[in-house]
Amino acid sequence: MPAEAASNGGGVDPSGVPRERRRRRGRARARTEALLHTLKRSRRVKANDRERNRMHHLNAALDELRSVLPTFPDDTKLTKIETLRFAYNYIWALSETLRLA
């Protein structure tokens, strides 16, 4: 058996393609600059879209939370952190009321 064949475990896999050549294909395939730019751009666009959707869902959830919290006056819109802190304190106060009753 030649030294090259011994180093790659037999030289040829069952499909008839040399193992060394088969190993080089796949992810290590050379890509052009234009293709890389296109891939990066499409990944960035998808990531931006996911982030935009995440923020829309977060803002919708905070709006729902604001709608059930008592605020004074009613036209005051709480910030995100104020909404979360107020909700925490409101739940704590309600729990204390139930505990003491």
Side-chain angles (χ1 to χ4, degrees):
M1 184 186 296
E4 291 175 12
S7 68
N8 66 8
V12 177
D13 72 357
S15 66
V17 178
R19 286 189 183 160
E20 183 179 315
R21 181 178 252 177
R22 187 178 52 129
R23 230 182 279 133
R24 272 191 239 143
R25 270 195 254 157
R27 288 191 155 208
R29 179 176 25 198
R31 295 182 175 155
T32 64
E33 285 292 319
L35 180 60
L36 284 175
H37 182 69
T38 303
L39 285 172
K40 286 180 182 179
R41 178 171 288 233
S42 68
R43 288 177 186 155
R44 177 66 2 223
V45 167
K46 287 178 185 177
N48 288 347
D49 195 37
R50 284 191 305 269
E51 178 65 11
R52 191 177 310 107
N53 286 331
R54 188 186 72 81
M55 289 306 300
H56 282 306
H57 287 102
L58 178 63
N59 288 332
L62 285 167
D63 285 338
E64 284 184 48
L65 181 58
R66 283 184 194 106
S67 71
V68 297
L69 293 174
T71 57
F72 308 101
D74 289 333
D75 61 350
T76 303
K77 182 179 177 186
L78 300 171
T79 65
K80 291 175 186 178
I81 191 69
E82 288 172 342
T83 301
L84 293 173
R85 286 181 178 148
F86 188 70
Y88 176 84
N89 290 331
Y90 187 58
I91 292 169
W92 178 83
L94 291 174
S95 298
E96 285 296 305
T97 303
L98 286 174
R99 189 180 64 81
L100 294 174

